[in-house]
Amino acid sequence: ITFGIYGMVVWWKMITELNVAASRYDGKRTCPYFASMWLTMITYGIFAFVWQHNLANRIGAEVRRRGYDYKVSASDFWLWGILGSLIIVGPFVYCHKLLKAMNMINASYNMYG
């Protein structure tokens, strides 16, 4: 019904919130979602893999820095997001792990800044 727009909004908000919560501590900024889509088109899809790899590592590092015992890394992207697509449910597991980690980061940011 949303023609994929809702998914884009979720990714856009997730990146915005990650940059707000983590940039002060790690000194990095994740490329905005819409810019990454443009770069993905220019690089024939390669940039999407690099972007997701770096995003998963950054979210995992921020979850660990905030003291949560939850593991997210680029290996989740490659194993669940890419290889797991062969069993159809893999990308859903990867998205669940990523969104759960972002919820932890946001909860911690709302309490402690």
Side-chain angles (χ1 to χ4, degrees):
I1 291 179
T2 64
F3 302 106
I5 294 171
Y6 180 73
M8 287 188 250
V9 170
V10 168
W11 282 105
W12 173 70
K13 282 299 283 180
M14 186 170 62
I15 298 308
T16 303
E17 291 169 358
L18 180 64
N19 283 335
V20 168
S23 290
R24 178 172 49 166
Y25 301 103
D26 64 8
K28 299 176 185 175
R29 302 231 6 120
T30 299
C31 179
Y33 181 69
F34 295 111
S36 72
M37 287 176 43
W38 183 74
L39 288 168
T40 297
M41 287 187 284
I42 290 174
T43 61
Y44 300 106
I46 294 170
F47 185 78
F49 294 113
V50 173
W51 187 77
Q52 282 286 343
H53 177 96
N54 292 334
L55 175 67
N57 275 339
R58 186 168 184 219
I59 289 174
E62 185 63 17
V63 166
R64 283 188 305 278
R65 191 193 69 72
R66 291 188 177 266
Y68 288 104
D69 186 26
Y70 190 73
K71 194 163 168 70
V72 177
S73 67
S75 63
D76 291 312
F77 166 65
W78 292 108
L79 294 175
W80 283 114
I82 302 300
L83 194 59
S85 63
L86 297 173
I87 59 171
I88 299 172
V89 297
F92 296 106
V93 172
Y94 170 66
C95 282
H96 172 75
K97 288 183 68 110
L98 216 58
L99 292 173
K100 184 175 179 180
M102 277 306 300
N103 284 336
M104 292 175 183
I105 291 170
N106 288 338
S108 176
Y109 179 79
N110 288 337
M111 285 198 295
Y112 307 113

